[in-house]
Amino acid sequence: MLKKAVFPGSFNPFHLGHLDILRRAARVFEQVIVAVYENPSKPLLFTVEERIELVRETVKDAQISNVQVASFRGLTVDYLKSVEAYVMIRGLRVFSDFEFEFRMALANQRLAPEIEIVNFMTGEQYIHISSTTVREIASLGGDVSSMVPPNVEAALRRRFADKTSLSTDM
Ligand code: ADP
């Protein structure tokens, strides 16, 4: 087993594709921190506290013991340094992710050459899932139970029952 790794993202909301990457990372690293990006410049469908809580519940239900959940602002590489982690986990779905992830990895290497970016490939049953798709379907009253854990599905149902007029790009 290797040491500590950080899995950063907006997780707006956390879905089964994210959970798949997290399970794979937790099998390889001793400790994995899911780092929820606060993104103070943009209001998201779920607040940072809500996103953290949804990840915590999911991790508990999935019984993955070596995972912590935290939030961060600013540069991801600065957050990694602050917790003394030198591995950043990212997920890869389809080929189109590769270019974006590769560009981001190169930028992060420039910023912090001591940090390694490790990409895990998702299981084929999750390649179509994205937070955007999940939000869009849920906002229209569609069934997202095959894409998100039950606690996230319930949270989406509550959120869209409250705010039927919310824009789906949040
Ligand atoms: P960001 O806000 O950084 O784009 P997301 O919250 O959308 O992040 O996703 C965090 C990470 O999870 C990214 O590396 C992304 O590629 C990965 N990811 C998202 N959806 C999936 C999926 N269905 N399967 C595997 N990895 C995924």
Side-chain angles (χ1 to χ4, degrees):
M1 284 278 250
L2 299 169
K3 43 197 172 180
K4 195 191 284 186
V6 171
F7 179 31
S10 304
F11 305 119
N12 183 43
F14 199 76
H15 55 62
L16 295 181
H18 294 134
L19 181 59
D20 182 54
I21 298 300
L22 183 59
R23 279 187 200 280
R24 291 171 194 274
R27 285 201 292 261
V28 174
F29 295 95
E30 271 173 24
Q31 186 193 358
V32 180
I33 302 173
V34 178
V36 180
Y37 180 50
E38 279 195 36
N39 203 344
S41 63
K42 195 171 147 198
L44 299 182
L45 180 61
F46 292 104
T47 66
V48 67
E49 291 80 15
E50 290 169 331
R51 284 177 281 141
I52 289 175
E53 192 50 31
L54 291 174
V55 183
R56 283 210 176 113
E57 287 168 2
T58 304
V59 168
K60 192 167 168 233
D61 292 346
Q63 298 183 319
I64 315 173
S65 58
N66 54 337
V67 170
Q68 272 102 48
V69 189
S71 67
F72 74 104
R73 285 176 177 225
L75 286 174
T76 311
V77 289
D78 288 343
Y79 174 71
L80 267 85
K81 287 186 215 169
S82 75
V83 294
E84 297 185 339
Y86 295 94
V87 177
M88 189 192 301
I89 305 292
R90 299 288 295 174
L92 281 181
R93 276 167 291 200
V94 285
F95 294 123
S96 53
D97 276 348
F98 179 77
E99 196 186 331
F100 174 78
E101 293 294 338
F102 192 44
R103 227 178 317 121
M104 210 170 67
L106 292 175
N108 281 324
Q109 278 172 10
R110 274 284 163 90
L111 291 169
E114 67 275 41
I115 291 176
E116 288 300 334
I117 291 104
V118 175
N119 289 99
F120 284 88
M121 272 153 280
T122 192
E124 61 185 340
Q125 64 273 46
Y126 305 116
I127 54 178
H128 62 292
I129 307 176
S130 72
S131 295
T132 309
T133 310
V134 165
R135 290 195 304 273
E136 227 162 74
I137 296 174
S139 74
L140 298 169
D143 179 6
V144 290
S145 59
S146 63
M147 301 183 189
V148 295
N151 61 316
V152 174
E153 188 192 0
L156 283 163
R157 216 178 296 117
R158 283 194 301 273
R159 183 54 38 100
F160 285 113
D162 292 350
K163 302 180 180 180
T164 43
S165 60
L166 260 185
S167 154
T168 55
D169 66 4
M170 287 179 84

